[in-house]
Amino acid sequence: MFHELQIFENPEAILLVASIIFFFSIIAGKAGFRFGLPALLLFLGVGMLFSSDGLGIQFSNPSAAQFIGMLALSIILFSGGMDTKMSEIKPIATEGVVLATVGVLLTTLITGGFIYYVFLWSTGYETLTVAESMLMAAVMSSTDSASVFSILRSKGVYLKQRLRPTLELESGSNDPMAYMLTLLIIAYIQVGGMNLQEAVLQLLVQLSVGAIAGFLLGKLAVLMINKINMDNESLSVSYTHLRAHESLYPILLLTTAFFTFSATTLCKGNGYLAVYIAGLVVGNAKIVHKKSMGTFFDGFAWLWQIVMFLTLGLLVNPHELLPVAPV
């Protein structure tokens, strides 16, 4: 049905299908919230429902999915950083960093060993090598920041004492470690070796450049927002013009978030860590129109969470999952 639609030939039909998918996703999210089910998992399910094995949307473009995921995570991490209070994470900064680095490494090793032996026991022979098992573990070793921030935003979640800020800090800063582990294991599988010294140096550069760039660009964003006066062009400016000017501030902040991510990545740092720290700096600073910008990013982050998980769902062909479902 849907696979015959071509976006350039019939954009209205594509827009209609997209609106229907979004409608189903929102209804599923509301129903899941009522019954205590994770909304993001339901968004993934809606995407699978509309995929090639379901209602027939043909989507098999990993590059487009990667780009969508990159945009989504930039916004989600920046928004999550804005919502995190510096006063709460200071006491648990050491624990959070250890969990985001050593914790991710240990998770990869333990889970990789588990995956290797599960496949060995279930098939009777070495289905996956140790390196391939470690790669699978590395891919899922870091906490999913989109899920964590969306769950912690919900009104029904109350966590004791330091657990909430620890989860926020760990989920916002663990991507660099998982990212580097994944790249290193892929390199090891491809060439059959690994330079440990070079790997450690690359990880340190990623973390250092990401942290420094995020802090400096976050400070620059605060300075820009407070110094660029979009409101008081004249004493006779109307209320409508004031509202229009106020609406430009979230767009300016969104622009700085994208700039932080892309500039840091191009400078060999980790853009995800940088954008989270930049959001942390902005969210804990005194800036004009802070409330309206926070509201904008909350809604925008939810939009991109839906888009990202729908895209991932569309990439999945459920019939391919059946042979490996027991394992």
Side-chain angles (χ1 to χ4, degrees):
M1 176 183 174
F2 293 130
H3 65 277
E4 297 176 356
L5 300 177
Q6 298 295 326
I7 190 164
F8 294 110
E9 296 177 6
N10 201 344
E12 294 85 0
I14 294 295
L15 190 60
L16 175 64
V17 172
S19 62
I20 292 172
I21 295 175
F22 270 92
F23 179 76
F24 270 89
S25 300
I26 292 168
I27 296 299
K30 292 289 288 184
F33 183 78
R34 178 172 295 181
F35 294 105
L37 299 173
L40 300 183
L41 184 62
L42 294 173
F43 298 152
L44 189 68
V46 171
M48 292 172 65
L49 174 66
F50 282 85
S51 68
S52 57
D53 284 356
L55 296 178
I57 294 180
Q58 299 290 335
F59 179 76
S60 56
N61 191 333
S63 297
Q66 182 183 19
F67 181 71
I68 291 170
M70 181 186 70
L71 287 178
L73 281 176
S74 299
I75 295 163
I76 292 164
L77 286 170
F78 191 83
S79 178
M82 286 184 66
D83 289 342
T84 304
K85 295 180 180 178
M86 195 78 77
S87 59
E88 292 181 350
I89 68 169
K90 274 185 179 180
I92 49 86
T94 303
E95 294 92 327
V97 171
V98 170
L99 286 172
T101 51
V102 179
V104 170
L105 176 61
L106 291 177
T107 300
T108 300
L109 295 175
I110 295 169
T111 309
F114 178 75
I115 290 170
Y116 176 78
Y117 284 107
V118 163
F119 273 92
L120 188 62
W121 290 332
S122 63
T123 61
Y125 59 93
E126 189 182 66
T127 308
L128 295 178
T129 65
V130 173
E132 290 167 344
S133 301
M134 292 296 168
L135 176 60
M136 187 179 290
V139 169
M140 56 185 179
S141 61
S142 64
T143 315
D144 181 63
S145 54
S147 301
V148 171
F149 287 130
S150 67
I151 292 169
L152 295 183
R153 279 195 187 99
S154 62
K155 296 180 181 178
V157 178
Y158 298 98
L159 301 177
K160 294 181 180 180
Q161 297 175 354
R162 304 196 299 178
L163 182 56
R164 180 189 176 107
T166 303
L167 280 171
E168 289 177 338
L169 178 60
E170 192 275 339
S171 65
S173 58
N174 61 17
D175 288 315
M177 189 68 180
Y179 177 80
M180 288 304 303
L181 284 174
T182 302
L183 290 181
L184 290 172
I185 297 172
I186 289 174
Y188 177 82
I189 293 172
Q190 288 178 334
V191 302
M194 180 188 302
N195 188 326
L196 185 60
Q197 185 178 356
E198 185 179 339
V200 172
L201 179 62
Q202 193 174 357
L203 177 62
L204 291 175
V205 169
Q206 285 249 335
L207 292 173
S208 302
V209 174
I212 294 170
F215 178 78
L216 294 178
L217 291 174
K219 288 289 187 182
L220 180 61
V222 172
L223 184 65
M224 286 174 57
I225 290 168
N226 287 333
K227 292 295 183 182
I228 296 178
N229 193 338
M230 298 183 188
D231 293 341
N232 301 319
E233 290 182 342
S234 68
L235 294 175
S236 61
V237 68
S238 67
Y239 174 76
T240 304
H241 283 100
L242 279 173
R243 293 291 297 170
H245 292 147
E246 183 180 339
S247 300
L248 292 175
Y249 282 96
I251 299 172
L252 174 62
L253 192 57
L254 179 64
T255 303
T256 62
F258 287 147
F259 178 83
T260 299
F261 175 82
S262 55
T264 304
T265 303
L266 290 172
C267 293
K268 308 302 181 183
N270 190 274
Y272 297 113
L273 178 62
V275 83
Y276 174 72
I277 292 177
L280 199 62
V281 172
V282 172
N284 287 273
K286 291 182 179 180
I287 53 176
V288 296
H289 304 302
K290 189 174 184 177
K291 185 176 180 180
S292 63
M293 285 191 286
T295 303
F296 170 85
F297 270 93
D298 280 343
F300 208 51
W302 266 109
L303 170 65
W304 279 96
Q305 286 175 64
I306 295 174
V307 170
M308 180 171 67
F309 279 87
L310 282 175
T311 303
L312 293 175
L314 288 172
L315 273 177
V316 175
N317 296 318
H319 76 272
E320 297 177 351
L321 306 181
L322 296 176
V324 295
V327 177

